[in-house]
């Protein structure tokens, strides 16, 4: 489109922080000016001029039969070329310029490879170019997961939105701040939450411990949470209750499974207020933190479902003639479940800060969307905990439907918060 060499295009894009539209506009207006700024000559390709000939090396000042001269007129012997390029590559320079005094012309990448003559150095230089592309490009990020070497390209990154992305290693993180995904909360909210949630408050620590073990509210028998679903059924007395609020789950004197559609415990009872005493603020924070920690604990427990994936898919293949591709729904359901837990954690961070940061967001609407996601998440979690392979096979359509409902619900919740992000950043 701009009729320039790939090497020059890379240099210009780097100067423009890899913004293609900006490069096109500025280059169209002033091709000579922007090329001069980037240190390239668009009228001459930086090739080795002619054959290697006899002359004086401008670095060691020794005569040589193999002086290689660039189009800028500066020539050097093979030994000096190699030493110079080796130093530049080891220093991770991505735009290697001619070593001539006050020259500053950038050497074409092809010429660097041609003059270097060392495969290891060339490979190292190419790695540096890739690292530079990722580090300098606002649309590309390295995955922050330990030992992961993948980078993610987000071509439609929007400054007015948080962006949660999933790497090929399945790490789910925020493209903006590289922390774990925390939508719908903003990066600054999540940063403040992390500090507050690790403050060591004794009552808060007790709340966290309670995410692991509680007493049945009916018979008082201790119960340990071993699965991700927050619907609990006491084996001692048969009482159905919600692990988050400890209230009865479902209808009837002992509760039942109907709570998946009618149980509500995600709304903070007190009215919003910007003027809270320290005690009131801590009490409110503990309420949100307990639900955040509950979903975090559920996510940790549900992550163990990944250990079953190979066994379940193998059994489906051997016992029910389901292809490996056809059993992908089970793995997709787990990943969707873990993503939903992450979003729900972020939703309680957002809920805590909402009265201050986003008072224009309708509390009841946000909590309604949040409740929908919680309900569909618990249903999917309950479904994925089925052990019998035959039941999993028979309920494939149910798995797919519940996975789709969770995905649609969390997109709906994110849409509400994205409106808040736009308003906040106007």
């Amino acid at each position: 489109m701009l009729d320039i060499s790939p090497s020059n295009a890379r240099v210009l894009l780097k100067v423009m922080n890899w913004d293609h539209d900006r490069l096109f506009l500025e280059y169209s207006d002033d091709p000579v000016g922007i090329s001069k700024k980037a240190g390239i000559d668009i009228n001459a390709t930086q090739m080795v001029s002619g054959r290697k000939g006899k002359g004086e090396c401008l670095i060691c000042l020794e005569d040589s039969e193999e002086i290689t001269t660039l189009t800028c007129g500066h020539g050097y012997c093979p030994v000096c070329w190699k030493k110079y390029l080796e130093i530049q590559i080891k220093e991770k320079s991505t735009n290697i310029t001619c070593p001539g005094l006050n020259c500053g012309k950038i050497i074409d990448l092809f010429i660097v490879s041609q003059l270097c003559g060392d495969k290891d150095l060339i490979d190292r230089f190419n790695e540096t170019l890739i690292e530079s592309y990722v580090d300098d490009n606002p649309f590309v990020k390295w995955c922050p997961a330990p030992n992961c070497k993948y980078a993610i390209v987000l071509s439609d990154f929007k400054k007015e939105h948080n962006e949660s992305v999933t790497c090929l290693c399945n790490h789910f993180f925020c493209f903006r701040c590289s922390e774990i995904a925390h939508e719908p909360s903003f990066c600054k909210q999540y940063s403040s939450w992390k500090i507050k949630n690790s403050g060591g408050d004794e009552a808060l620590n007790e709340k966290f411990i309670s995410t692991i073990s509680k007493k049945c509210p009916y018979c008082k028998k201790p119960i340990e949470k071993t699965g991700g679903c927050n619907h609990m059924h006491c084996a001692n007395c048969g009482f159905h209750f919600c692990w988050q609020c400890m209230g009865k789950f479902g209808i009837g004197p002992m509760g039942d499974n109907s709570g998946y559609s009618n149980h509500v415990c995600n709304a903070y009872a007190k009215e919003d207020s910007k003027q809270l005493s320290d005690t009131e603020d801590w009490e409110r924070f503990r309420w949100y933190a307990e639900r955040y920690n509950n979903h975090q604990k559920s996510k940790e427990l549900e992550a163990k479902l990944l250990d079953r994936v190979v066994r379940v898919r193998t059994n489906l293949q051997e016992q029910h003639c389901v292809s490996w591709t056809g059993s992908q729904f089970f793995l997709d359901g787990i990943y969707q479940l873990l993503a939903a837990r992450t979003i729900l954690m972020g939703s309680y961070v957002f809920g805590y800060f909402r009265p201050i940061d986003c008072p224009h967001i309708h509390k009841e609407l946000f909590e309604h969307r949040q409740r929908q996601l919680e309900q569909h998440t618990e249903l999917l979690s309950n479904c994925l905990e089925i052990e019998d392979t035959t039941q999993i096979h028979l309920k494939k359509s149910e798995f797919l439907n519940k996975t789709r409902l969770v995905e649609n619900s969390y997109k709906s919740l994110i849409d509400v918060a994205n409106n808040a992000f736009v308003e906040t950043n106007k």
Side-chain angles (χ1 to χ4, degrees), residues 21-33:
D21 294 334
R22 180 185 167 197
L23 171 60
F24 182 76
L25 289 173
E26 294 195 18
Y27 187 88
S28 299
D29 290 340
D30 185 12
V32 176

Side-chain angles (χ1 to χ4, degrees), residues 233-249:
H233 184 207
C234 180
N236 183 59
C237 67
F239 187 66
H240 293 257
F241 66 96
C242 171
W243 188 263
Q244 287 208 118
C245 68
M246 300 303 289
K248 186 178 69 172
F249 191 87

Side-chain angles (χ1 to χ4, degrees), residues 38-210:
I40 61 173
D41 184 358
I42 58 173
N43 296 316
T45 306
Q46 191 73 310
M47 298 290 289
V48 176
S49 61
R51 299 178 179 179
K52 295 177 181 178
K54 183 178 180 180
E56 181 183 60
C57 174
L58 295 178
I59 294 179
C60 66
L61 303 180
E62 297 285 339
D63 289 335
S64 172
E65 299 289 335
E66 298 183 334
I67 294 294
T68 302
T69 306
L70 300 181
T71 52
C72 58
H74 299 122
Y76 312 94
C77 68
V79 175
C80 289
W81 263 125
K82 188 169 183 179
K83 286 182 178 179
Y84 173 71
L85 293 175
E86 184 176 356
I87 292 171
Q88 294 296 310
I89 291 171
K90 285 183 177 179
E91 291 179 352
K92 294 193 171 185
S93 174
T94 55
N95 288 335
I96 300 178
T97 60
C98 171
L101 183 64
N102 299 324
C103 180
K105 295 294 183 183
I106 295 175
I107 305 174
D108 188 282
L109 303 183
F110 173 75
I111 301 305
V112 172
S113 301
Q114 192 177 9
L115 295 173
C116 186
D118 187 313
K119 185 179 184 304
D120 290 337
L121 276 178
I122 294 171
D123 290 343
R124 191 168 178 176
F125 181 56
N126 289 331
E127 288 177 7
T128 300
L129 291 178
I130 294 172
E131 291 175 3
S132 172
Y133 170 73
V134 176
D135 294 339
D136 298 338
N137 194 333
F139 302 100
V140 186
K141 280 273 181 78
W142 292 111
C143 173
N147 303 318
C148 180
K149 296 183 179 180
Y150 290 119
I152 288 185
V153 180
L154 195 63
S155 57
D156 58 347
F157 181 59
K158 300 175 182 178
K159 293 182 179 180
E160 68 271 18
H161 289 169
N162 285 342
E163 298 283 357
S164 294
V165 294
T166 304
C167 178
L168 288 174
C169 72
N170 293 309
H171 182 60
F172 192 37
F173 69 98
C174 173
F175 191 86
R176 186 176 294 273
C177 67
S178 296
E179 291 281 2
I180 63 167
H182 51 76
E183 283 187 299
S185 62
F186 311 153
C187 296
K188 66 176 183 178
Q189 293 175 341
Y190 181 68
S191 178
S192 299
W193 176 272
K194 282 177 59 182
I195 296 171
K196 200 174 183 71
N197 201 27
S198 60
D201 179 75
E202 184 177 347
L204 186 59
N205 290 335
E206 291 175 0
K207 292 284 188 182
F208 180 75
I209 292 172
S210 71

Side-chain angles (χ1 to χ4, degrees), residues 23 108 112 120 140 195 204 247 256 275 282 286 288 302 312 327 334 337 339 399 418 421:
L23 171 60
D108 188 282
V112 172
D120 290 337
V140 186
I195 296 171
L204 186 59
D256 58 20
Q275 302 297 324
W282 265 111
R286 288 171 189 151
Y288 282 95
E302 287 159 349
V312 169
S327 63
I334 295 175
L337 176 63
F399 274 82
N418 278 343
F421 197 92

Side-chain angles (χ1 to χ4, degrees), residues 270-282 284 355-356:
K270 295 182 180 180
E271 292 295 322
D272 289 340
S273 175
K274 294 183 180 181
Q275 302 297 324
L276 294 176
S277 65
D278 290 343
T279 302
E280 289 173 328
D281 182 59
W282 265 111
R284 183 173 178 275
I356 301 296

